[in-house]
Amino acid sequence: MTDLPQLPFARAGVLEPPPQLLELQAEGPIVRVRTQMGDEAWLVTRYDEVRDLFADPRLGRSHPNPEQAARVTNSVIMSGAIADDNEDANHAMMRAMLMPAFSPRRMRVMRPHIQQIVDTIIDGLLADGGPVDLHERLSVPLPVLVICALLGVPYEDRDDFRAWSDAVGDTADGARSAAGWENLGAYMKGLIHRKRTEPGDDLISDLVAEYGDQVGDDELALLGSGLLFAGHETTMVRIDIGTLLFLTNPGQREAFLQDEKLAASAIEEVLRRSMTGGGGLLRYAREDMDIAGTKVAAGDAVLLASSGANHDERVFADAVHFDIARTPNQHLTFGHGSRYCIGANLARLELQIVFDALLRRIPTLRLAVPVEELKLRINQLGGGIVAVPVTW
């Protein structure tokens, strides 16, 4: 077996990118690696190449022979190729279906609701006193409450779908991940069935009303399950990481509190510095292609390492430094081009409200343990941190 760099790369700490990733990036923009599943893939690490490839139509999620495609993890979300002869058209239709739910107008409507959720959570923290696990008390419930409200998912079902989502993101245990996805899909199908007769003011009801005659329940359930998983998992991780970045950089925290004009750029810097759990976004070459002078064959797996690109010194000076005034800051956390994350507006809104309220209302907030004692969530697609003990 060829001696190739092995994913996932080891991390030196909860806030730093893997040293091996940066070393490979320094050597060149693309490198052959071995995935967690033992298959070979190309890892693209530099900003310019990752950005261009996000928008390159020669890459896609589908594969003419999915069973022969390289596999990346055991998670059903990002294991291997899908079979979809109409991938681009289906993707365009999905975006058209979802765009109204994530429009700036809908975000303005949601802002007071999100603010109320955050204020209520912080009220509870202050009433109980520290130390508390901010991960369990804030980072988990906030995005769950928000995505429940958006989709029309009953909040009382949160323990079930959170358990299923944790299972879905398991990159090591394929059977657990598949079972979680099956449970999530079955739950969503039941919810869609109910929305047909008992619609509400929510996204699932809107989709059923608008597209229920054109799109089957299986397709709607797939869409809803993906939104439910992605809509809370990724934001949860970034609330944890952002909190740590502010608490371990007191100068940046003070600048944030003193200058309201830094609110937007601070969130972009949190997004840039947040590391994900996997090696990168999985794509397959639809044809033979050249990437930075390297020949990539049709069918090869290509991993777009946005976390690596976000720490590329060619674009971001002193890239590991947390600088909330950094400008420009065209990070690739949400991708680029036609596949740019449709939920980016919602994620930004949640993070803006969280950090403004948390840092202003609890000015003495601090970590209750040394940052070196914090543990990464391993074998989880979204990465993140197990617990964030804080006090004040």
Side-chain angles (χ1 to χ4, degrees), residues 290-341:
D290 182 295
I291 300 177
T294 296
K295 301 298 182 186
V296 174
D300 280 2
V302 180
L303 291 164
L304 305 180
S306 54
S307 294
N310 286 343
H311 290 81
D312 187 342
E313 292 281 350
R314 294 159 194 78
V315 178
F316 304 102
D318 197 10
V320 296
H321 176 58
F322 180 58
D323 177 8
I324 66 170
R326 187 183 294 275
T327 182
N329 191 352
Q330 300 295 320
H331 60 79
L332 299 176
T333 299
F334 293 126
H336 176 69
S338 65
R339 304 253 172 173
Y340 189 80
C341 175

Side-chain angles (χ1 to χ4, degrees), residues 95-123:
R95 290 186 73 86
M97 291 167 66
L98 296 179
M99 285 295 280
F102 295 96
S103 67
R105 184 194 67 79
R106 179 63 75 98
M107 295 304 102
R108 286 194 295 272
V109 170
M110 290 193 70
R111 177 180 281 275
H113 178 63
I114 297 172
Q115 185 73 58
Q116 183 181 28
I117 295 171
V118 172
D119 287 341
T120 300
I121 290 172
I122 294 177
D123 287 345

Side-chain angles (χ1 to χ4, degrees), residues 11 13-17 134-135 139 233-249 266 269-277 311 322 351 354-355 358 367 371 374-377 382-388:
R11 299 273 294 276
V14 295
L15 294 175
E16 288 77 38
L134 202 73
H135 173 79
S139 306
E233 177 81 8
T234 54
T235 305
M236 172 194 78
V237 169
R238 285 170 183 128
I239 294 172
D240 283 341
I241 297 293
T243 300
L244 292 182
L245 287 167
F246 277 114
L247 297 189
T248 56
N249 291 275
E269 184 69 344
V270 168
L271 289 163
R272 183 188 72 84
R273 287 283 283 110
S274 299
M275 300 294 300
T276 57
H311 290 81
F322 180 58
L351 295 174
V354 162
F355 293 123
L358 187 66
L367 280 172
V371 68
L374 300 180
K375 292 181 171 56
L376 291 163
R377 294 168 79 219
I385 300 165
V386 174
V388 183

Side-chain angles (χ1 to χ4, degrees), residues 35-251:
T35 72
Q36 188 172 348
M37 298 300 296
D39 292 339
E40 294 188 17
W42 296 103
L43 181 69
V44 186
T45 60
R46 289 185 184 173
Y47 182 92
D48 288 346
E49 286 77 10
V50 171
R51 184 180 185 275
D52 289 347
L53 290 169
F54 264 124
D56 196 317
R58 296 174 297 173
L59 294 179
R61 279 294 320 279
S62 57
H63 193 285
N65 299 297
E67 67 282 352
Q68 296 176 15
R71 300 186 66 217
V72 176
T73 75
N74 259 325
S75 169
V76 293
I77 293 288
M78 200 179 84
S79 55
I82 59 173
D84 188 350
D85 294 333
N86 299 303
E87 179 186 352
D88 292 341
N90 290 336
H91 179 76
M93 181 179 180
M94 178 204 74
R95 290 186 73 86
M97 291 167 66
L98 296 179
M99 285 295 280
F102 295 96
S103 67
R105 184 194 67 79
R106 179 63 75 98
M107 295 304 102
R108 286 194 295 272
V109 170
M110 290 193 70
R111 177 180 281 275
H113 178 63
I114 297 172
Q115 185 73 58
Q116 183 181 28
I117 295 171
V118 172
D119 287 341
T120 300
I121 290 172
I122 294 177
D123 287 345
L125 293 178
L126 292 171
D128 293 346
V132 299
D133 177 9
L134 202 73
H135 173 79
E136 203 60 38
R137 293 290 298 271
L138 173 65
S139 306
V140 170
L142 170 66
V144 169
L145 279 162
V146 171
I147 202 66
C148 281
L150 181 69
L151 295 181
V153 174
Y155 184 60
E156 56 267 25
D157 295 339
R158 66 192 179 281
D159 289 341
D160 284 335
F161 75 71
R162 184 184 165 199
W164 298 330
S165 293
D166 281 347
V168 167
D170 194 321
T171 60
D173 189 337
R176 178 173 178 252
S177 180
W181 188 243
E182 186 176 340
N183 286 327
L184 205 53
Y187 171 82
M188 194 58 65
K189 262 194 265 193
L191 184 64
I192 288 166
H193 183 71
R194 292 204 303 276
K195 296 292 184 182
R196 289 189 184 278
T197 55
E198 302 170 25
D201 183 18
D202 56 71
L203 176 55
I204 298 297
S205 296
D206 291 349
L207 291 176
V208 169
E210 183 82 14
Y211 300 99
D213 295 335
Q214 310 165 44
V215 181
D217 284 3
D218 285 348
E219 288 78 11
L220 287 176
L222 188 67
L223 193 59
S225 298
L227 286 171
L228 192 59
F229 173 80
H232 75 275
E233 177 81 8
T234 54
T235 305
M236 172 194 78
V237 169
R238 285 170 183 128
I239 294 172
D240 283 341
I241 297 293
T243 300
L244 292 182
L245 287 167
F246 277 114
L247 297 189
T248 56
N249 291 275

